[in-house]
Amino acid sequence: MSKIKKFFTRKKEEAAFKLKIGGTLGQGHALNAPSEPSGSQRKSNHKAYEPPKRKEVSNEARAAAAAALARIETKDTREFNTSLAAIKAQAKKELEAERKLREEKKADENSSETETRPDVTLACQGVFFRCPMISDEILPKKEWKVKIKEFLYQQLESERALTSCLIIQNCNTKEKAEECVKTLIKYLENIINHPDEEKYLKIRMSNRIFSEKVRYIEGALDFLIAAGFHEIEIDNESFLIWSKDNIEEGQDLPTLLDALKNAGPITLELDRNIKVLLPSQARRVKLPDDFYRMSPDEIKREQQMRTEALENAQVLKTKAMREREEQRVLRMYRYALVRVKFPNGIYIQGTFNVYEKISDIFEMVQSCLSDETLEFNLISSSDGRLSDDDMDKSLYDLRLIPNVVLLFSIPGQVNASYIDTNFLKEELLLLVQSL
């Protein structure tokens, strides 16, 4: 595991070094280099263009033109009008097509603006994460997945063995990654334990297990190449043949086996996305879709099914039935929005995983106080003061999801005595959301 941590540390240092030495120098120009002559100084070897002289129109041509003009003037007007109607119809058709095109373009622009414009009715704009191993950015999970994949493939050429282990874990589904790792471990253990048995030194690429569990998993073939395998054809069939000489420089099979067993998904840290709110802004409790385990359409269908079941049953619910119903609702949520109200009416808001502990809420609040040594209580409107016995319980356990407001108080003091006191750090007050 320490080898993987060193890998990320080294890559961050390399990125920082490149950033420092990266310059903006352009191409140089020698002082004694001849300059290009300007347009006015360039001489041309071509003669000036002289238009050809036009010939006079003959009398026969004049007569033919006059006859053609007479035929046009004496032509039936009904045929002319028919042609004009066709032209008008075509012009109308083209104008209608242009109008539809403008309307579609305008609709696309409005749709794009709606998608990019933040929804001001939401309590927060989403769930965001950090990844200290790669950078200090704060991004949604989808963007981090793309960024992690790009980062790993950039390192693949320079460190194929360890990077390919991480690609297997981070660029495939959990189930596929686990099956692939088990198979690769078996390949390497067979070679380590039976180095002289030829059957363990080659893999038929058309083999069913290899095709299903290894061949099409991202990073798997790169790992085998780093471990000493190379592809050859035997009797028109593809095989991977192992050779000690082909192992990546500085690696050996026991080290690669250990890296394969210890590599795991790159962890993301949930960002609290701390906000400071005025009392009028704390009324917004609409949560973004990221807080839910299911999509909005699935949630609507679930609610509709519960409503229909209730209408059809029309019976009194037992305590067990109510608890099952409550748990089904709670399982819809992946994250919770926690707000802490201070005596002066200011709120702080943070995002939590539903399985995080109550002690994590206390830590967030403490980190926001100007005096971090201050003792305080948090009070739930439904269950009262959160005690020491609650510290190891999760938000899910105490049903403090999907959103909850906790009251901040100082032990032994009446609220009226410190109603105007500001407990927050000055830099946090700059985060007060504008209306």
Side-chain angles (χ1 to χ4, degrees):
M1 203 62 177
S2 60
K3 192 174 181 67
I4 295 173
K5 290 182 179 178
K6 289 179 182 178
F7 170 81
F8 284 105
T9 302
R10 186 170 64 257
K11 293 303 175 185
K12 289 182 74 174
E13 289 174 354
E14 288 174 2
F17 178 73
K18 290 177 182 178
L19 185 63
K20 288 180 182 178
I21 66 171
T24 56
L25 298 177
Q27 289 184 338
H29 183 78
L31 294 176
N32 57 356
S35 59
E36 283 287 328
S38 63
S40 61
Q41 292 173 337
R42 296 190 184 112
K43 294 181 179 181
S44 174
N45 295 326
H46 299 284
K47 294 181 180 181
Y49 171 75
E50 295 181 3
K53 294 182 180 179
R54 299 181 62 182
K55 295 181 179 180
E56 292 293 331
V57 180
S58 63
N59 292 332
E60 291 80 0
R62 291 179 185 275
L69 183 62
R71 285 196 300 273
I72 292 173
E73 290 175 348
T74 57
K75 199 171 184 180
D76 187 4
T77 57
R78 186 174 58 185
E79 182 181 349
F80 174 78
N81 290 337
T82 303
S83 176
L84 181 61
I87 293 171
K88 286 183 177 180
Q90 181 65 23
K92 185 177 180 182
K93 185 177 180 181
E94 291 178 358
L95 289 172
E96 184 67 19
E98 288 181 6
R99 184 185 64 79
K100 288 183 178 180
L101 188 63
R102 285 196 301 270
E103 289 178 354
E104 290 175 0
K105 186 177 180 181
K106 188 175 180 180
D108 291 341
E109 289 175 353
N110 293 337
S111 175
S112 177
E113 288 178 4
T114 303
E115 291 175 359
T116 56
R117 190 184 302 133
D119 187 350
V120 296
T121 63
L122 294 175
C124 62
Q125 294 303 315
V127 180
F128 301 92
F129 296 84
R130 299 173 182 269
C131 187
M133 284 185 172
I134 294 179
S135 73
D136 298 326
E137 295 176 275
I138 299 174
L139 302 169
K141 184 175 285 187
K142 287 183 179 179
E143 293 185 27
W144 268 122
K145 286 184 177 180
V146 175
K147 197 172 187 68
I148 289 171
K149 186 172 183 176
E150 290 175 351
F151 170 80
L152 291 175
Y153 273 99
Q154 286 170 3
Q155 318 307 322
L156 188 59
E157 188 174 346
S158 58
E159 288 194 57
R160 188 185 294 270
L162 186 56
T163 305
S164 59
C165 292
L166 293 168
I167 289 175
I168 292 172
Q169 295 289 349
N170 291 277
C171 302
N172 301 286
T173 62
K174 183 180 178 182
E175 294 77 13
K176 288 184 177 181
E178 288 177 350
E179 291 297 321
C180 177
V181 168
K182 287 179 183 178
T183 308
L184 293 176
I185 288 174
K186 191 67 176 175
Y187 289 153
L188 265 60
E189 286 180 342
N190 284 337
I191 296 174
I192 293 171
N193 298 328
H194 312 280
D196 299 324
E197 293 194 32
E198 186 180 348
K199 66 177 181 179
Y200 295 127
L201 305 183
K202 65 180 181 180
I203 303 170
R204 183 187 290 107
M205 298 186 74
S206 60
N207 177 273
R208 182 181 61 82
I209 293 177
F210 178 80
S211 298
E212 291 178 358
K213 299 183 178 181
V214 177
R215 187 170 188 173
Y216 302 106
I217 304 301
E218 288 194 61
L221 290 180
D222 289 296
F223 177 81
L224 289 173
I225 292 170
F229 286 89
H230 65 283
E231 184 178 347
I232 64 171
E233 276 200 10
I234 302 175
D235 298 331
N236 296 323
E237 191 169 5
S238 296
F239 284 83
L240 289 174
I241 305 297
W242 182 83
S243 171
K244 185 178 180 180
D245 298 333
N246 292 329
I247 298 177
E248 186 176 54
E249 186 178 354
Q251 303 288 350
D252 55 44
L253 290 187
T255 302
L256 293 176
L257 188 60
D258 182 65
L260 192 62
K261 291 179 178 179
N262 287 296
I266 296 174
T267 56
L268 298 177
E269 296 179 2
L270 178 63
D271 183 70
R272 293 293 178 223
N273 193 19
I274 294 177
K275 297 185 182 300
V276 182
L277 307 173
L278 299 172
S280 57
Q281 297 164 320
R283 289 195 291 267
R284 301 174 188 166
V285 291
K286 182 180 176 183
L287 299 176
D289 296 342
D290 294 346
F291 273 68
Y292 299 91
R293 293 186 184 278
M294 299 186 291
S295 67
D297 291 337
E298 290 173 329
I299 292 172
K300 288 179 182 178
R301 285 197 296 270
E302 177 77 12
Q303 291 174 340
Q304 186 176 358
M305 290 171 60
R306 288 204 308 270
T307 303
E308 291 175 355
L310 182 62
E311 291 175 352
N312 293 335
Q314 291 297 319
V315 294
L316 293 175
K317 292 184 179 181
T318 64
K319 182 180 179 181
M321 292 171 63
R322 288 196 300 271
E323 288 179 351
R324 285 197 298 270
E325 177 75 15
E326 184 182 16
Q327 288 177 357
R328 189 163 67 240
V329 172
L330 292 176
R331 282 196 294 269
M332 288 184 183
Y333 300 97
R334 184 179 285 112
Y335 303 101
L337 194 73
V338 176
R339 287 173 173 171
V340 177
K341 183 180 180 182
F342 288 84
N344 61 357
I346 295 292
Y347 291 77
I348 59 170
Q349 171 181 293
T351 303
F352 290 80
N353 187 291
V354 295
Y355 298 114
E356 287 193 78
K357 297 178 180 179
I358 299 303
S359 58
D360 295 319
I361 300 178
F362 275 81
E363 287 180 9
M364 182 200 76
V365 175
Q366 194 167 39
S367 68
C368 295
L369 299 178
S370 56
D371 179 8
E372 294 189 12
T373 63
L374 183 67
E375 292 187 10
F376 62 91
N377 292 328
L378 294 179
I379 301 171
S380 169
S381 58
S382 57
D383 300 324
R385 185 174 71 87
L386 298 174
S387 65
D388 293 339
D389 296 335
D390 297 323
M391 292 298 111
D392 289 331
K393 295 179 181 178
S394 69
L395 278 75
Y396 181 90
D397 294 333
L398 296 181
R399 305 297 191 261
L400 301 179
I401 56 177
N403 56 277
V404 65
V405 175
L406 302 174
L407 303 179
F408 178 93
S409 69
I410 303 297
Q413 293 195 24
V414 182
N415 287 348
S417 63
Y418 55 90
I419 193 169
D420 296 325
T421 305
N422 172 47
F423 293 96
L424 297 178
K425 294 177 180 177
E426 291 185 7
E427 57 266 29
L428 282 176
L429 294 177
L430 299 176
L431 297 178
V432 173
Q433 303 295 295
S434 58
L435 289 170

